[in-house]
Amino acid sequence: MEKIVKIVSDGEYFNVTDTLCCGQVFRFVPHENGYFINSLDKRAFAYDERGKGVIECNASDEEYFYNYFDLSRDYKKIVYAAENSGFPVLAHSATLGKGIRILCQNEEEALISFIVSQNNNIPRIKGIIERLCKALGDKKEFYGEEFYSFPTAEKMAEMPLDFYSGIGLGYRAEYIKGVAEKIVGGWSASSLKTLSSAELRKELIGIKGVGPKVADCAVLFGFHRSDGFPADTWIEKVYKEDFNGTLTDRKKISEYFTGMFGENSGYFQQYLFYYKRTLEKKEEKAGIE
């Protein structure tokens, strides 16, 4: 049995729960007082404990998960910039959500996951991805628990279209199969790393089934381009309620924020998104003005 190592990080700028539950990733499972996190063919167990964020993984995966959780980056500077931005809602969001980190996910896994996510809810997205992995991935074990790796593009490409319909993908079935066939045909997401964010977004939108929202999510959460700013219902709500915005086109709303926040856009997006979708409701229930 391989040695298990612990990676311990300051919890002020790394909260496991907030990082996993802010909509950027779907392959995690609550377990006891923490979460199992799956990425490609690897698994870790992560939890918050006494003011620290803790990750337990196989010794051979230590570097992978250290990078996956973006632990080398100084988020104190990012939070400071948000708190001193001059926008009260952003400052408040960053103070409450300062433990959020942008995960460094595999580009192709993130792209496929966000194609699954379009017009879908989180429990259903997670269920579809889990069924995909269980059907086509390799069986693995970690801490005595079985899990399945994310399937290879080769395996996905050889499956008939009705397989994808059968696991609940609906109209997205042809998109997922199409991306897998594209990868097998020689296309590689990693080859796009040298492109500017604008060029990358354009390239991704050229893939069938990838619209502006999916492309923006892949740019930020798959390629870790911090100048990306996905705009959805919650961001539109922030824009209108807290920035007094009048635009209705989400692409323009995204451009509005990236023009204002530059390289910090993606980090600020997560603070604002998580606050508006989750933390603001908690404050309202607690009677906080």
Side-chain angles (χ1 to χ4, degrees):
M1 185 176 178
E2 188 172 349
K3 178 185 176 183
I4 300 293
V5 296
K6 279 188 179 183
I7 306 169
V8 181
S9 183
D10 177 12
E12 183 176 5
Y13 297 102
F14 176 40
N15 182 279
V16 172
T17 297
D18 289 347
T19 296
L20 295 176
C21 296
C22 64
Q24 61 175 313
V25 67
F26 307 107
R27 291 188 68 207
F28 67 93
V29 183
H31 182 78
E32 296 180 354
N33 297 316
Y35 305 87
F36 280 127
I37 299 100
N38 302 332
S39 179
L40 294 179
D41 61 346
K42 308 177 191 306
R43 170 172 272 202
F45 181 62
Y47 51 94
D48 300 301
E49 182 179 67
R50 294 192 292 272
K52 302 289 184 181
V54 183
I55 305 158
E56 298 179 6
C57 64
N58 288 324
S60 59
D61 295 334
E62 182 176 7
E63 183 178 354
Y64 182 88
F65 281 108
Y66 186 87
N67 178 65
Y68 180 84
F69 282 100
D70 202 29
L71 294 180
S72 64
R73 195 176 308 274
D74 184 1
Y75 276 73
K76 183 178 181 179
K77 292 181 180 179
I78 297 167
V79 171
Y80 179 84
E83 290 177 334
N84 291 275
S85 64
F87 297 101
V89 67
L90 176 56
H92 187 56
S93 299
T95 299
L96 293 181
K98 64 172 66 175
I100 294 172
R101 286 178 172 262
I102 303 293
L103 300 173
C104 296
Q105 301 178 63
N106 172 265
E107 298 90 350
E108 289 167 8
E109 181 177 329
L111 175 60
I112 289 170
S113 296
F114 280 102
I115 292 174
V116 173
S117 78
Q118 57 186 304
N119 300 315
N120 224 337
N121 60 62
I122 289 179
R124 193 161 180 272
I125 297 163
K126 293 178 72 171
I128 291 170
I129 295 173
E130 177 61 23
R131 290 192 290 275
L132 176 67
C133 294
K134 192 170 184 178
L136 303 181
D138 295 327
K139 185 188 288 188
K140 303 279 186 176
E141 187 177 296
F142 180 77
Y143 273 165
E145 298 276 340
E146 287 185 355
F147 73 100
Y148 293 84
S149 65
F150 197 81
T152 64
E154 288 76 13
K155 186 67 176 175
M156 292 174 66
E158 70 185 25
M159 300 304 291
L161 197 59
D162 59 6
F163 162 78
Y164 294 103
S165 300
I167 61 172
L169 278 164
Y171 72 87
R172 307 168 197 84
E174 65 172 305
Y175 303 155
I176 298 299
K177 182 172 172 59
V179 169
E181 290 174 340
K182 188 177 181 70
I183 294 170
V184 171
W187 182 85
S188 169
S190 62
S191 68
L192 308 181
K193 289 181 178 180
T194 58
L195 299 179
S196 69
S197 296
E199 292 169 334
L200 172 60
R201 187 177 185 275
K202 184 177 180 181
E203 177 74 18
L204 292 172
I205 289 176
I207 299 170
K208 187 174 183 180
V210 178
K213 168 70 185 314
V214 171
D216 286 339
C217 287
V219 166
L220 177 58
F221 304 127
F223 289 84
H224 205 114
R225 297 295 181 86
S226 61
D227 57 350
F229 199 102
D232 68 346
T233 301
W234 296 105
I235 289 298
E236 186 174 357
K237 192 174 174 67
V238 169
Y239 170 72
K240 290 180 178 178
E241 294 179 356
D242 302 292
F243 288 81
N244 300 313
T246 58
L247 297 170
T248 56
D249 184 306
R250 288 181 184 171
K251 182 176 183 294
K252 291 182 179 179
I253 292 172
S254 176
E255 291 171 349
Y256 165 82
F257 282 117
T258 55
M260 188 164 17
F261 299 138
E263 289 297 318
N264 282 326
S265 295
Y267 306 109
F268 291 2
Q269 190 269 358
Q270 281 293 272
Y271 300 144
L272 291 168
F273 171 84
Y274 192 54
Y275 175 73
K276 186 59 70 172
R277 192 189 71 169
T278 304
L279 301 180
E280 187 177 52
K281 294 177 185 177
K282 290 182 179 179
E283 286 186 332
E284 290 171 353
K285 286 182 180 179
I288 299 173
E289 292 295 331

